Amino acid sequence: MPDIEHVREMSDALLDLMDDWNILEHDERLARFKSLEISDAKRFFFFLDNYERSGLLQSFDGSEAQIWIRLLAPDDAADILRDLPRKKTAFLMSLLDDFTRAEVAAILSYDEDSAGGMMSPLFLRARINMTMGEAIEYIRKQMQHTRVKATRYAYVLDEGGILKGVVSMRDLLTSRPSVPVAEVMSQNPIAAIDNMSTDEIRQIHDRYKFQSIPVVDEAGHMKGMLSIEEILEMVEEEATEDIQRLGATESLGAPYFEVPFRSMIRKRAGWLSVLLIGEMFTATAMGHYEDEIKRAVVLALFIPLIISSGGNSGSQASTLMVRAIAVGDVKQRDWLKVFLRESASGLVLGGILGVLGFARIFFWPMREVLYGKHYIRIAFTVGFSLVSIVLWGSLAGSMLPFLLRKLRFDPATASAPAVATLVDVTGIVLYFTCAKIFLSGILL
Amino acid sequence: MPDIEHVREMSDALLDLMDDWNILEHDERLARFKSLEISDAKRFFFFLDNYERSGLLQSFDGSEAQIWIRLLAPDDAADILRDLPRKKTAFLMSLLDDFTRAEVAAILSYDEDSAGGMMSPLFLRARINMTMGEAIEYIRKQMQHTRVKATRYAYVLDEGGILKGVVSMRDLLTSRPSVPVAEVMSQNPIAAIDNMSTDEIRQIHDRYKFQSIPVVDEAGHMKGMLSIEEILEMVEEEATEDIQRLGATESLGAPYFEVPFRSMIRKRAGWLSVLLIGEMFTATAMGHYEDEIKRAVVLALFIPLIISSGGNSGSQASTLMVRAIAVGDVKQRDWLKVFLRESASGLVLGGILGVLGFARIFFWPMREVLYGKHYIRIAFTVGFSLVSIVLWGSLAGSMLPFLLRKLRFDPATASAPAVATLVDVTGIVLYFTCAKIFLSGILL
């Protein structure tokens, strides 16, 4: 993240490259980047995300790479190095200064999606035996000499590096200089443990909404901090993952154009194949009703309409529930309340669609030519099928995320298409059951 | 957003209420909230979101309501008042102090989704003719006396209130006190215009990643600021809206349990009905092929399989594209590059599914009993239909968001279910066309 100092004015060459970046091939990117003036190039390097920085870094020779990797904050450097082949990582690590290398190595020792793997090891600190006046002098020096991100808080550590408290910029600016830090600070601040998952960090963020969250190890030693920027990035990445899963693809994990073609196919083909295999049961289910279709071909005409309505209502309910669980609006133990609410919603929504479906047949100008003289019974079959399948879709779609969570899977696995496939197969059975009720002895 | 000062320790009563809140009915919520000690109640009130605060405020009598509404920052108060009936709004406005009332009224005069409608009118300021020493004194006073959010920046205004520059906390803490503010500040800072939309604000945020964005009117007068918290909230709300649209529902605009039943039905029934009406064309399309189905009922068995595969690949492509456009990975003019990439992806994905579909029939144990002696031709029909429909789904799904954007609609309107419906109808035509090629003169 750039500090405000970097802004001032941006050259045309810089703005042009920002606009063109996405449609350029790798070699053109490299050439245009190298043609920038050094101040513009630095500004641009900060504008890029870590995927794109990684692409540039890998194309540079040693001395160039050294300039650029040393510009990065340790958490960004770790983020880039983590995804490279081991040999490349070792080479780039060797270009860092000793101090940063130790910090990057510390981050790399954590799991990528843990608090430790995302934290920045640079933070503003004060010592617990200082006065506020000493603390402000100490913090002033840190701001002048390191690449620490300026935040709203400074963390107070004891001699052993244990996190003891936190003071805000407001405290620093408004307290008398002679007061001890220990008197002003908030004690026992909320902190993330270094091995906490993104979900747990998100829960802390949702509850406290701090500008930054300190990260400590089990013994309480302060290891780094998660700033609001990192939390913001994490929240966006999670939303993107959820959205992509809802769209029946594995999370791409990178911007669309940055994902290599083979890996894009692998991530998309998996789910599509699983869903196809799921849909094969529709052929099996239909097979059971082959005789009925032979006797009343008119029934076949409405199958896509029926199953897709079930699929849509299932997608709708599962999407609402997956998102409500993700943002914390709905908890696991709310399931019964959701079940009751979705039963009511499903019935009303089914009723609305059922009436529309009934009307489509009952009032169609050529109804007798198209659907035969028993068109009223066909209309009832379609109408009642819609009521039951929309109810079933709403219940299956809303309950599956709870079930998956109970079984310790990610609720977003109950992606809309997975629910739709489930509802498709059962929808065929529901439809032909309704048909038997209304048409038995007449067409069937 | 609570300042760190509010944290320290949380009582059991407070933690219990935080956990129970979602499953409580309105009256229980009110009773439990009123039973909290005042310091806990204040802490809890800050923990709630504006929907929930609004619910409480409306149940309080005048003197109670006055206590609570006066705790709110002007932007939160405006957010709550905006959605209430006019009479209620007027009453609650009358409870505010004169100064806050003027600020709230200013925010309410803007569109809800504009920079002006979301900004906080409180920000740290310095005057352009001050020295850094004077500025730090001035800012210290602002921090002591108002509810201004402490941010990393203070904005520098001239006598007429025109935004001239910005200084960071780092500048304030590290500059010599005798230096004029005008020498230290970054000039001409990037600012949002008060009538900018959320999309435009997001673009500024994506490009500059500032901790806060100043909001000015057309003439350059500073009106307020968007802090990273507000931008974070906006990004999350947008993601939720996109996710809900992808799931075929209008954006609920509130947490699941907070949406009244009638309004939930209205928001969900609309899309489901539109999709049902779209799917009615499948019945029309199928009607054209009634003779073919009569002659070869076996064809009907694979219709759900075929159209759902087209729907899934369409959902997948549109979901990837809608998200890539939303986060700025893909721009409008990248459409041709996307078209070429999706043509290739669609062919490969179609090939994979085609082979699976072919194998399902060709290697099925009872193939001759179930699918007749021409089962090989049926297998080719299904296989080739899958290739063509997956290709078509990928292209339609990826291009529709660009088309919608060109026509100035929100690309997220190309929700997965809308694309799936479009692909369903055309899928039937593709399938029977393949059938005619492979089975003409044999079964058809």
Side-chain angles (χ1 to χ4, degrees):
Chain A
M1 303 271 155
D3 256 349
I4 193 93
E5 290 89 335
H6 295 108
V7 185
R8 317 231 182 205
E9 261 136 54
M10 292 162 79
S11 73
D12 287 346
L14 177 57
L15 288 169
D16 284 351
L17 186 53
M18 281 179 169
D19 284 337
D20 291 347
W21 191 252
N22 271 335
I23 54 167
L24 296 178
E25 298 300 328
H26 181 74
D27 292 349
E28 295 171 295
R29 287 180 172 187
L30 201 61
R32 291 273 295 269
F33 179 76
K34 287 187 175 180
S35 74
L36 289 177
E37 283 185 35
I38 184 69
S39 63
D40 278 352
K42 280 190 186 170
R43 176 92 187 85
F44 187 73
F45 197 66
F46 282 111
F47 161 80
L48 293 178
D49 62 31
N50 285 335
Y51 295 105
E52 296 166 325
R53 289 174 187 160
S54 174
L56 286 177
L57 273 177
Q58 292 182 65
S59 310
F60 290 149
D61 61 37
S63 62
E64 275 179 313
Q66 184 161 34
I67 297 172
W68 293 105
I69 197 163
R70 286 191 174 200
L71 279 180
L72 291 173
D75 51 330
D76 286 326
D79 196 23
I80 289 175
L81 294 177
R82 199 188 289 279
D83 294 329
L84 297 181
R86 192 178 300 258
K87 233 174 119 179
K88 198 91 196 170
T89 304
F91 170 68
L92 288 170
M93 284 284 270
S94 75
L95 302 177
L96 294 170
D97 59 88
D98 293 349
F99 184 69
T100 310
R101 190 182 313 122
E103 287 177 326
V104 170
I107 300 175
L108 287 176
S109 72
Y110 288 106
D111 186 67
E112 183 174 9
D113 291 322
S114 71
M118 289 188 293
M119 71 187 180
S120 160
L122 303 173
F123 53 90
L124 295 176
R125 62 186 79 199
R127 295 205 203 97
I128 194 159
N129 51 8
M130 286 175 164
T131 62
M132 288 304 274
E134 289 166 335
I136 211 165
E137 252 336 290
Y138 187 47
I139 285 164
R140 206 168 262 171
K141 283 211 190 95
Q142 294 169 47
M143 282 188 165
Q144 277 165 338
H145 292 296
T146 71
R147 285 166 302 169
V148 60
K149 287 172 189 163
T151 52
R152 279 193 209 164
Y153 312 124
Y155 295 97
V156 183
L157 311 188
D158 70 9
E159 309 74 40
I162 301 272
L163 174 65
K164 286 297 187 181
V166 54
V167 288
S168 67
M169 283 296 138
R170 190 189 290 253
D171 295 332
L172 285 166
L173 286 171
T174 59
S175 302
R176 272 174 303 117
S178 58
V179 184
V181 166
E183 269 182 33
V184 175
M185 71 182 190
S186 297
Q187 296 183 327
N188 307 319
I190 303 292
I193 312 293
D194 51 6
N195 59 9
M196 274 185 178
S197 67
T198 51
D199 268 0
E200 290 168 303
I201 298 163
R202 198 200 163 108
Q203 279 165 25
I204 294 180
H205 169 73
D206 283 348
R207 178 160 286 186
Y208 301 105
K209 304 261 165 69
F210 296 144
Q211 276 284 307
S212 56
I213 301 174
V215 180
V216 299
D217 64 15
E218 296 281 357
H221 298 96
M222 177 113 180
K223 292 295 179 183
M225 123 195 138
L226 293 163
S227 68
I228 188 101
E229 288 96 338
E230 277 131 23
I231 298 168
L232 176 87
E233 219 166 277
M234 190 186 91
V235 166
E236 266 212 51
E237 273 174 27
E238 268 191 30
T240 300
E241 277 177 29
D242 278 3
I243 287 177
Q244 292 179 341
R245 288 215 201 102
L246 288 169
T249 169
E250 265 181 71
S251 161
L252 294 187
Y256 178 79
F257 284 125
E258 308 295 324
V259 185
F261 188 73
R262 284 173 66 104
S263 127
M264 165 94 82
I265 293 291
R266 206 170 45 241
K267 289 178 184 220
R268 291 167 67 169
W271 256 115
L272 286 185
S273 304
V274 169
L275 293 174
L276 179 77
I277 291 166
E279 283 288 336
M280 286 176 179
F281 290 101
T282 60
T284 312
M286 295 275 285
H288 284 285
Y289 300 106
E290 213 177 331
D291 285 345
E292 282 81 357
I293 298 172
K294 249 180 218 153
R295 264 176 276 157
V297 173
V298 60
L299 284 179
L301 306 189
F302 297 101
I303 288 173
L305 178 82
I306 299 284
I307 63 176
S308 69
S309 297
N312 288 336
S313 57
S315 306
Q316 193 181 66
S318 79
T319 303
L320 288 177
M321 214 38 59
V322 167
R323 186 64 184 165
I325 291 174
V327 300
D329 287 346
V330 168
K331 304 261 183 307
Q332 184 71 19
R333 61 179 181 153
D334 297 335
W335 73 270
L336 185 61
K337 219 176 148 190
V338 170
F339 181 86
L340 296 173
R341 200 158 204 239
E342 287 301 308
S343 303
S345 302
L347 268 180
V348 176
L349 292 172
I352 294 169
L353 296 202
V355 168
L356 285 174
F358 181 88
R360 161 68 172 76
I361 298 170
F362 191 77
F363 294 112
W364 202 252
M366 315 239 292
R367 60 208 171 202
E368 286 201 58
V369 182
L370 282 168
Y371 311 130
K373 63 181 171 142
H374 297 295
Y375 70 88
I376 299 181
R377 282 166 185 270
I378 304 274
F380 272 112
T381 303
V382 169
F384 272 88
S385 300
L386 282 170
V387 177
S388 54
I389 201 163
V390 170
L391 173 61
W392 164 238
S394 302
L395 290 178
S398 58
M399 290 298 109
L400 202 57
F402 288 101
L403 184 66
L404 285 167
R405 201 160 193 229
K406 189 90 191 164
L407 301 173
R408 305 192 158 273
F409 290 102
D410 185 336
T413 320
S415 65
V419 171
T421 301
L422 175 74
V423 175
D424 277 0
V425 180
T426 44
I428 289 167
V429 179
L430 279 175
Y431 177 53
F432 282 101
T433 308
C434 283
K436 275 193 183 147
I437 294 171
F438 287 102
L439 298 170
S440 179
I442 292 155
L443 284 176
L444 299 181
Chain B
M1 305 269 155
D3 257 346
I4 192 95
E5 290 89 336
H6 295 107
V7 184
R8 317 234 182 201
E9 262 135 53
M10 292 163 77
S11 73
D12 288 344
L14 178 56
L15 288 169
D16 284 351
L17 185 53
M18 281 179 170
D19 284 336
D20 292 347
W21 191 254
N22 271 335
I23 54 166
L24 295 179
E25 298 298 331
H26 181 75
D27 291 349
E28 295 171 295
R29 288 180 170 185
L30 202 62
R32 292 273 294 270
F33 179 78
K34 288 189 175 178
S35 74
L36 289 176
E37 282 185 34
I38 184 71
S39 63
D40 278 350
K42 280 189 185 168
R43 178 92 187 84
F44 188 73
F45 196 65
F46 282 111
F47 161 80
L48 293 178
D49 61 30
N50 285 335
Y51 294 106
E52 296 166 324
R53 288 175 188 158
S54 174
L56 285 177
L57 273 177
Q58 292 182 65
S59 309
F60 290 148
D61 61 39
S63 62
E64 275 178 313
Q66 184 159 34
I67 297 173
W68 294 105
I69 198 164
R70 287 192 172 200
L71 279 181
L72 291 173
D75 50 331
D76 286 327
D79 195 24
I80 290 175
L81 293 177
R82 199 186 288 279
D83 293 329
L84 296 181
R86 193 177 299 256
K87 231 173 123 179
K88 198 91 196 173
T89 305
F91 170 68
L92 288 171
M93 284 284 269
S94 74
L95 300 178
L96 295 170
D97 59 86
D98 292 350
F99 185 69
T100 310
R101 190 182 313 118
E103 286 177 325
V104 170
I107 300 175
L108 287 176
S109 71
Y110 288 105
D111 185 67
E112 182 175 8
D113 291 322
S114 70
M118 290 187 293
M119 72 189 180
S120 160
L122 303 173
F123 54 90
L124 294 175
R125 62 185 81 199
R127 295 206 202 96
I128 194 157
N129 51 7
M130 285 176 165
T131 62
M132 289 302 274
E134 289 167 336
I136 212 167
E137 253 334 291
Y138 187 47
I139 285 164
R140 205 168 262 172
K141 282 210 191 95
Q142 293 169 47
M143 282 188 167
Q144 277 165 339
H145 291 298
T146 70
R147 284 166 303 169
V148 60
K149 288 171 190 165
T151 53
R152 279 193 209 164
Y153 312 123
Y155 295 97
V156 183
L157 311 186
D158 70 8
E159 310 73 41
I162 301 273
L163 174 64
K164 286 297 185 182
V166 54
V167 288
S168 67
M169 283 297 138
R170 190 190 289 254
D171 295 333
L172 284 165
L173 286 172
T174 60
S175 303
R176 271 174 303 118
S178 58
V179 183
V181 166
E183 270 181 33
V184 175
M185 71 183 190
S186 296
Q187 294 183 330
N188 306 320
I190 303 293
I193 312 293
D194 51 5
N195 58 10
M196 275 186 178
S197 68
T198 51
D199 269 359
E200 291 168 302
I201 298 163
R202 195 196 167 112
Q203 279 164 26
I204 294 180
H205 169 73
D206 283 348
R207 178 160 285 188
Y208 301 104
K209 303 263 164 68
F210 295 145
Q211 276 284 307
S212 56
I213 301 173
V215 180
V216 299
D217 65 15
E218 296 281 356
H221 298 95
M222 176 116 179
K223 291 295 181 183
M225 115 193 144
L226 293 163
S227 67
I228 186 98
E229 288 96 338
E230 276 131 25
I231 298 167
L232 177 85
E233 219 166 276
M234 191 187 90
V235 166
E236 264 212 52
E237 273 174 26
E238 269 191 28
T240 300
E241 276 177 28
D242 279 3
I243 287 177
Q244 291 179 342
R245 287 214 201 104
L246 287 169
T249 169
E250 265 180 71
S251 160
L252 294 187
Y256 177 80
F257 283 127
E258 309 295 322
V259 185
F261 188 73
R262 285 173 67 106
S263 128
M264 165 94 81
I265 293 293
R266 206 169 44 240
K267 290 181 182 216
R268 290 168 67 171
W271 255 115
L272 285 184
S273 304
V274 169
L275 293 173
L276 180 77
I277 291 165
E279 284 288 337
M280 286 174 177
F281 289 101
T282 60
T284 312
M286 296 273 285
H288 285 284
Y289 300 104
E290 213 175 335
D291 284 345
E292 282 81 356
I293 299 172
K294 248 180 218 150
R295 264 176 278 156
V297 173
V298 62
L299 284 179
L301 307 190
F302 298 101
I303 287 173
L305 177 82
I306 300 283
I307 62 176
S308 69
S309 297
N312 288 336
S313 56
S315 307
Q316 195 181 65
S318 79
T319 302
L320 288 177
M321 215 39 58
V322 167
R323 186 66 184 164
I325 292 174
V327 299
D329 287 345
V330 167
K331 305 263 183 306
Q332 184 72 18
R333 59 177 183 156
D334 297 336
W335 73 270
L336 185 60
K337 221 178 146 188
V338 170
F339 182 86
L340 296 174
R341 201 160 205 237
E342 287 300 310
S343 303
S345 302
L347 268 180
V348 176
L349 292 172
I352 294 170
L353 296 202
V355 168
L356 284 174
F358 181 87
R360 161 69 171 76
I361 298 171
F362 191 77
F363 295 113
W364 202 252
M366 314 239 294
R367 59 206 171 202
E368 288 203 57
V369 182
L370 282 168
Y371 312 130
K373 63 181 169 140
H374 296 294
Y375 70 89
I376 299 180
R377 284 167 182 270
I378 305 274
F380 272 111
T381 303
V382 169
F384 273 88
S385 300
L386 282 170
V387 177
S388 54
I389 202 163
V390 169
L391 173 61
W392 163 238
S394 302
L395 290 178
S398 58
M399 291 297 109
L400 202 57
F402 287 101
L403 184 67
L404 285 167
R405 204 164 189 224
K406 188 89 192 162
L407 301 173
R408 303 190 161 272
F409 289 103
D410 185 334
T413 320
S415 65
V419 171
T421 301
L422 175 74
V423 176
D424 277 0
V425 180
T426 45
I428 289 167
V429 179
L430 280 175
Y431 177 53
F432 281 101
T433 308
C434 283
K436 274 195 183 146
I437 294 170
F438 287 102
L439 298 169
S440 178
I442 292 157
L443 284 174
L444 299 181

